[in-house]
Amino acid sequence: MSNSNSLLVVIFFLTIVNGLAQSYPETYCIRFDTDVKGASNPIIINITQKWAPLGANHLFDVINSQFYHVPSAFFRVVPKFVVQFGISGDPAQNKLWDKPIMDDPVLMSNTVGTLSYATAGPNTRTTQLFINYIDNSRLDPLGFAPLGIVTTGLDTANAIFNPTPGSSDGVDQNQYSTKGNPWIRLNYPQINFITKTSITYNCPVPSN
């Protein structure tokens, strides 16, 4: 292939990628209603595409799918560190969304209230997410790329019940992923759930 033809292929590819990026919103908010006792506020997270484009666009697709059509548990709570969620209560949905996406470069820091994907190593992001309870900037060089920040309901996030106070690992994620809500409700009757999920565009834009 000639140099000119190669250049045309590259330009065409970049045009397609740019078009796909533009097909998603530059910013949107996710509203998570919960069953956290005593919490009057939902957790609302402002997602900013430019912070982590691949992650933001992927999450937009997840939220608009049937992934959260049943309650989803907050299955890992580590006080003064993070709260983790993003396993569907429906095992079929976990199978459907188990294909990982590529990593985004870390452009923002894991400060208080930011949202990042949980990973099992490079390029392993699927659906699991965590909210930073504190400034966890030490996670930045490990490749955790924030894609949003809590604008409402950080108090709710901090009040989420810890189902495994004796372990920072949380519940058995494989068991929950494959057996769903019947299993987790039986074994952790006090566990908190995301009860409803929706997207809104009428949300504040982070100043940074």
Side-chain angles (χ1 to χ4, degrees):
M1 183 180 292
S2 68
N3 289 338
S4 60
N5 287 337
S6 297
L7 180 60
L8 287 173
V9 169
V10 170
I11 292 173
F12 177 76
F13 175 76
L14 292 176
T15 300
I16 294 297
V17 170
N18 185 54
L20 288 174
Q22 292 179 355
S23 68
Y24 290 92
E26 294 181 0
T27 184
Y28 61 93
C29 272
I30 304 172
R31 173 178 171 139
F32 292 116
D33 290 287
T34 76
D35 62 1
V36 177
K37 290 183 179 179
S40 58
N41 292 320
I43 299 172
I44 299 178
I45 305 175
N46 188 307
I47 306 297
T48 301
Q49 187 188 57
K50 67 181 180 181
W51 289 10
L54 295 177
N57 296 346
H58 175 71
L59 184 55
F60 186 80
D61 288 338
V62 172
I63 298 299
N64 280 301
S65 73
Q66 292 296 304
F67 190 83
Y68 287 100
H69 77 108
V70 298
S72 173
F74 294 102
F75 58 83
R76 181 178 179 231
V77 177
V78 186
K80 298 182 179 180
F81 184 44
V82 301
V83 56
Q84 192 168 332
F85 59 99
I87 293 177
S88 177
D90 178 357
Q93 290 297 314
N94 295 316
K95 289 182 180 180
L96 184 65
W97 289 95
D98 67 353
K99 183 178 180 181
I101 62 171
M102 299 291 289
D103 289 337
D104 282 296
V106 179
L107 303 180
M108 306 299 293
S109 184
N110 285 272
T111 53
V112 177
T114 51
L115 178 79
S116 298
Y117 277 91
T119 73
N123 302 313
T124 58
R125 299 183 300 173
T126 54
T127 58
Q128 292 192 32
L129 303 156
F130 64 85
I131 296 170
N132 288 292
Y133 279 148
I134 63 170
D135 182 348
N136 287 320
S137 54
R138 61 188 176 86
L139 298 178
D140 301 350
L142 301 179
F144 295 96
L147 62 154
I149 189 166
V150 175
T151 58
T152 301
L154 190 56
D155 55 336
T156 299
N158 277 284
I160 293 168
F161 177 76
N162 183 358
T164 59
S167 172
S168 62
D169 293 335
V171 309
D172 187 318
Q173 296 174 28
N174 184 63
Q175 291 276 12
Y176 182 36
S177 180
T178 57
K179 296 181 180 179
N181 284 342
W183 175 85
I184 207 166
R185 290 185 190 277
L186 176 64
N187 289 277
Y188 302 94
Q190 292 181 276
I191 201 164
N192 283 139
F193 289 87
I194 295 168
T195 57
K196 184 179 179 182
T197 306
S198 57
I199 284 181
T200 178
Y201 300 98
N202 183 22
C203 52
V205 178
S207 59
N208 54 345

